[in-house]
Each structure stands twice: as structure tokens, then as C-alpha cells.
Amino acid sequence: MGKQMTEMLKGTLEGIVLALLTGKAAYGYEITTQLREQGFTEIAEGTVYALLVRIEQKGLVDVEKRPSEKGPPRKVYTLNTQGEKELNEFWNTWSFLSGRIEELRKEGK
Amino acid sequence: MGKQMTEMLKGTLEGIVLALLTGKAAYGYEITTQLREQGFTEIAEGTVYALLVRIEQKGLVDVEKRPSEKGPPRKVYTLNTQGEKELNEFWNTWSFLSGRIEELRKEGK
DNA sequence: TACCGGTACCTAGTTCTACTATGTAGTGGT
DNA sequence: ACCACTACATAGTAGAACTAGGTACCGGTA
């Protein structure tokens, strides 16, 4: 993946995944697939799993294990109240940053 | 500073500084001040200087030392051709990422 | 039976960037 | 002599994404 994109994803990928979980539970492999479909074609699987471990430890999601028809059991993640709060803060932070940056772009800077 | 903002700045702060340098050379202390004026009130001075060292080593800027009326001599940074190229890539990467994220926001996700 | 592709999860070690905390210097004013 | 402001510098820390593997379960096929 481009080095720029890698660095830019720091701090945003977590928000992206939380947003994906809004209103719809999902498991790791599924999230990876969704990210790929949405254009993030080169996000490594390991990156997603590490992130999921992190947000689980931070208490932003609830986890349930469900047997799969094919392959090992899935770990299904659901956004909880604290996760929604975190996602809200993410949108605030994002709005501020993207506002500033778009300003710079407009100024031809 | 918020932890979220800190992480989100990784990968974007460099682009922001390159954008600030477009069409107008500047020195470190000045850049720090400009960032503060534009709302990034809590960006540490040391962060800016470290970043400037990095982009100089990457060859994105030209540097000239100029005596100051007050205080030690200034190191004035000017965006060069390679820097403009890098900034261009930054805008591309940013456009893609912000496009995806705005899409997620619209979906109420 | 043996193998392979697809599904699904996991982790140790590396790299990069921003922050913390502190230090050094030059100038002008009291 | 001291202080405030200007101006630059850096060693050490933390956090997040990547690399590069590995484990495990299932179905189909040779």
C-alpha cells in the first residue's frame, strides 16, 4: 500500500470500522471483505484483527461467538453504547480536521 | 491534545505543512504560529521541527538560513519541485480517503 | 485416503509519526 | 543582571498499521 495511505489510516481506520458496525454486527473476515469492496483494497487482514482486539479491549464492542457453516467459528462484533460515544467523537475530530484541510485546499495552498 | 486527533494527524500533518508552504516560504517558528492560528492550537513546537527535519531529508524543501532581527537565525523552508509532487500525491490520497469516509457518514453508518 | 482452496482467526516483530520534556541561543527591555 | 520572547533542536515514549507468517475447520476432488 502507498506509504501516505498507511500513515493517513492511523487514527481513521478505527473510526471507519466503528462506522461499518453501526446498526449491523459483523465478524472480522466480513469486515475485511467490506473494506476491500469499499475501495480499501490493500488493507491487510492482520491489521483488521489487531484493530478488533484493540476496540474489544477498550470496551467499544460486544463480542459473541457463532458457529459457521464453513470454517472455524466467527467472532461477531456489535457496537455498544461506549462504542457509539467513541464513534461520535470520531466524527467530531474528523469534521474539524477535514474542515481545516479543505480550507487549505481552497486557498490554493 | 485529544488522543484521536494525535493519531489522525499522523500522515496528514506533513501534507498540511507542505500546503502551508505553497507559494510562500516560511520558517519553523512561523509555521508553528500559523498552525495555531488555524485552529491546531495544541500542536507541539517540537513536533513541527522534527517534521521539518524529515521533509528536508526527504528532499521536499530547500532551506536557507537568514538572520533575524530578534533571536537566533531562521531556517527558511521553500517548497521545491519534488515537494510539489509529494503535495499533489497527498491531495490524491486525501481525496480518496475523505471520499470514502464521507460516504460512510452519509449512509448513517 | 490425501490434498487443496476457501473460510476464519491470531500474533511477534518492524516501521513510522506525533508527543513529552527539556535544552540551547540570540535579542531587547527594565 | 534578569526576564520575556523569539527560534531551533533532540532523546525517549507511545500508538497504530504493516509484514510475514501460523493455526484450524470444511468441502470437493483425484
Side-chain angles (χ1 to χ4, degrees):
Chain A
M1 181 150 38
K3 221 184 298 175
Q4 268 190 344
M5 184 58 88
T6 291
E7 292 307 321
M8 226 181 265
L9 282 174
K10 292 184 183 177
T12 54
L13 187 55
E14 183 180 307
I16 291 171
V17 170
L18 291 178
L20 282 176
L21 287 176
T22 304
K24 186 179 157 295
Y27 53 96
Y29 192 80
E30 191 183 7
I31 291 170
T32 305
T33 308
Q34 282 177 24
L35 286 171
R36 299 244 160 96
E37 281 167 4
Q38 303 208 357
F40 299 102
T41 50
E42 292 176 87
I43 288 187
E45 228 191 321
T47 300
V48 176
Y49 285 109
L51 189 154
L52 290 172
V53 168
R54 236 159 39 225
I55 63 176
E56 182 184 353
Q57 277 168 357
K58 284 203 256 178
L60 309 179
V61 286
D62 296 328
V63 186
E64 193 198 343
K65 215 161 214 174
R66 280 189 218 157
S68 163
E69 319 82 49
K70 27 169 84 176
R74 296 163 174 165
K75 279 181 74 177
V76 178
Y77 294 85
T78 313
L79 202 63
N80 62 26
T81 312
Q82 215 187 318
E84 279 167 27
K85 211 177 124 195
E86 181 81 2
L87 178 57
N88 220 52
E89 282 173 39
F90 169 76
W91 286 129
N92 287 338
T93 309
W94 170 260
S95 296
F96 174 79
L97 183 62
S98 83
R100 290 298 115 209
I101 291 180
E102 288 307 326
E103 200 65 34
L104 284 175
R105 175 141 64 173
K106 253 186 276 172
E107 291 173 31
K109 279 192 167 171
Chain B
M1 179 152 37
K3 225 184 294 177
Q4 267 191 345
M5 184 59 88
T6 292
E7 291 307 320
M8 226 181 266
L9 281 173
K10 292 183 181 177
T12 55
L13 186 56
E14 182 179 308
I16 290 170
V17 170
L18 292 178
L20 282 175
L21 288 175
T22 304
K24 186 179 156 297
Y27 55 96
Y29 192 80
E30 191 183 9
I31 291 169
T32 305
T33 308
Q34 282 178 22
L35 286 171
R36 299 243 161 97
E37 280 168 5
Q38 304 207 356
F40 299 102
T41 50
E42 293 176 86
I43 288 187
E45 226 190 321
T47 300
V48 175
Y49 286 109
L51 189 154
L52 290 172
V53 167
R54 247 172 14 238
I55 64 176
E56 181 184 354
Q57 276 168 358
K58 284 203 256 179
L60 307 180
V61 286
D62 296 330
V63 186
E64 193 197 343
K65 215 162 216 174
R66 280 188 219 157
S68 163
E69 318 81 50
K70 28 169 82 179
R74 298 164 172 164
K75 280 180 73 178
V76 178
Y77 295 85
T78 312
L79 202 63
N80 62 25
T81 313
Q82 214 186 319
E84 279 168 26
K85 211 177 124 195
E86 181 82 0
L87 179 56
N88 221 53
E89 282 173 39
F90 169 76
W91 286 128
N92 288 339
T93 309
W94 169 260
S95 297
F96 174 79
L97 183 61
S98 82
R100 290 297 115 207
I101 290 181
E102 288 306 326
E103 200 65 34
L104 283 175
R105 176 142 65 172
K106 253 186 276 171
E107 291 172 32
K109 281 191 167 172

